[in-house]
Amino acid sequence: MYEFKELILPEHFRHASYGGFCVKPGMFYGTEKETGKLVATTGWNVNGLTNIYIQHELKSQWNNDLWEDLYDDYGKPLITIEENDLQRISDKVKDFQKTAMDFETWADENGYDDESWDEDQIESAYDSYYFMGYPEFVIQLLKEHWDLENYEE
């Protein structure tokens, strides 16, 4: 299980060091909870596996050789994002979505048509736009967070 935070930097900063790893805006950093190893990710996902950078030994070089399925057999995330970060991301995405283009407008403006793209590709690209480019694991956590908010009301 991984616990992540989103990297937020002042405007004049382009990156930060996390245990010797260069973390850039849009990346998430944290720990692998069982071992305490430092981890970071851009959320890059290929065939359902997310690339995780990991520091195997304290003060050693980081490797990006870890590809993880961040969900259990029931589709539940094996990750968390610190609650304050998740709430801030949630608020930011909800604000964006209030003025975001609907699917048809977005598809027309971006040159997507049924003939040149398959439906899954178009929907995936729209989801990326609609969720401000956040990685899939963040989108899943947001949806769960929103379900809890709706349930509590």
Side-chain angles (χ1 to χ4, degrees):
M1 176 102 138
Y2 299 100
E3 183 171 62
F4 287 114
K5 287 184 59 66
E6 181 183 29
L7 179 66
I8 303 294
L9 292 172
E11 258 184 66
H12 59 283
F13 286 83
R14 297 190 195 286
H15 66 273
S17 179
Y18 178 62
F21 183 77
C22 181
V23 184
K24 297 179 181 179
M27 293 182 79
F28 288 79
Y29 66 97
T31 58
E32 198 282 322
K33 286 178 150 184
E34 292 175 9
T35 64
K37 291 179 180 179
L38 302 182
V39 294
T41 186
T42 61
W44 184 30
N45 190 298
V46 176
N47 297 325
L49 301 177
T50 301
N51 188 231
I52 305 287
Y53 293 86
I54 188 166
Q55 187 181 41
H56 291 288
E57 301 294 330
L58 190 60
K59 296 188 179 190
S60 71
Q61 187 175 7
W62 286 69
N63 296 304
N64 70 335
D65 57 355
L66 189 60
W67 288 86
E68 291 276 7
D69 183 351
L70 298 180
Y71 305 93
D72 67 15
D73 293 340
Y74 303 101
K76 290 289 185 188
L78 298 173
I79 55 171
T80 59
I81 295 177
E82 205 169 85
E83 186 60 33
N84 290 342
D85 276 2
L86 190 60
Q87 187 61 54
R88 182 184 37 71
I89 293 167
S90 174
D91 293 344
K92 184 168 70 170
V93 170
K94 282 181 178 179
D95 283 346
F96 173 78
Q97 289 178 349
K98 289 175 187 173
T99 59
M101 291 180 269
D102 63 55
F103 179 80
E104 289 77 20
T105 304
W106 174 87
D108 287 344
E109 287 199 13
N110 287 280
Y112 290 102
D113 58 48
D114 293 337
E115 295 169 12
S116 60
W117 297 88
D118 78 25
E119 193 173 318
D120 289 340
Q121 287 175 316
I122 296 171
E123 287 177 13
S124 178
Y126 180 73
D127 276 352
S128 180
Y129 157 75
Y130 195 65
F131 285 92
M132 302 178 65
Y134 277 104
E136 181 60 33
F137 72 87
V138 175
I139 294 170
Q140 290 299 107
L141 290 173
L142 283 176
K143 288 177 179 178
E144 286 187 16
H145 181 75
W146 294 343
D147 286 346
L148 284 175
E149 284 180 341
N150 292 334
Y151 180 75
E152 291 171 357
E153 290 177 359

